[in-house]
Amino acid sequence: MSFATLAEYGRDYCVIDTHNLFVGTTLEDEILLLGAGDDLFSVIAQECSRFGLQLEPGRKLPSYSGGEQSIICCLLLMHLLPKEKLCVLLVHVLETLSPRNRSLLLDRFAALLPAASLSVLTENGPKPLADHV
């Protein structure tokens, strides 16, 4: 994640930036660092299967494609973020996905974080996604 992007928009948005999606090297590490329960891996694995993505325990996150990493990160955050009104800024996330997976990811945001407003980062700043499909 560009520190400039985070500095500029981090107060108003939960920033999800493809340039820096994870802190840990495996999903298990990420879940541990975020203080989530051990069962979250299986929940995320089940969610990922909707996208045709099979998670492997212990697999290094950088070994997944950029789009796969974006999906994993977004699904992880969807299950950890509060289910209240919040603003999420997607930075180059949707561009990494096929049209099918983009639509599916936006559907999952709508289902799991219905009160969240999604925006994408453009050259002119954040632009709200009027419809999550």
Side-chain angles (χ1 to χ4, degrees):
M1 171 179 326
S2 165
F3 290 112
T5 302
L6 186 58
E8 188 167 355
Y9 302 111
R11 289 179 188 230
D12 299 320
Y13 294 90
C14 170
V15 178
I16 303 174
D17 188 336
T18 57
H19 293 102
N20 191 0
L21 294 170
F22 303 105
V23 176
T25 57
T26 66
L27 183 55
E28 293 91 341
D29 290 344
E30 198 74 14
I31 290 169
L32 179 65
L33 290 168
L34 293 170
D38 293 335
D39 61 331
L40 187 56
F41 182 91
S42 62
V43 171
I44 301 303
Q46 182 177 1
E47 286 278 352
C48 283
S49 68
R50 295 172 188 252
F51 294 83
L53 171 57
Q54 300 304 313
L55 294 184
E56 300 170 31
R59 182 173 170 184
K60 304 288 186 204
L61 289 165
S63 72
Y64 292 99
S65 74
E68 291 171 336
Q69 289 180 50
S70 292
I71 291 167
I72 294 165
C73 179
C74 287
L75 290 171
L76 179 62
L77 290 175
M78 284 182 220
H79 283 276
L80 293 174
L81 289 172
K83 309 298 185 221
E84 57 194 42
K85 183 157 178 56
L86 65 132
C87 299
V88 177
L89 179 60
L90 302 173
V91 181
H92 305 297
V93 169
L94 299 179
E95 297 88 336
T96 67
L97 304 175
S98 68
R100 176 195 171 277
N101 282 347
R102 184 180 313 121
S103 178
L104 188 53
L105 186 70
L106 294 175
D107 287 347
R108 296 312 297 150
F109 267 110
L112 296 172
L113 292 176
S117 64
L118 299 179
S119 296
V120 293
L121 187 59
T122 69
E123 291 178 4
N124 299 319
K127 177 185 173 194
L129 285 174
D131 190 325
H132 289 193
V133 181

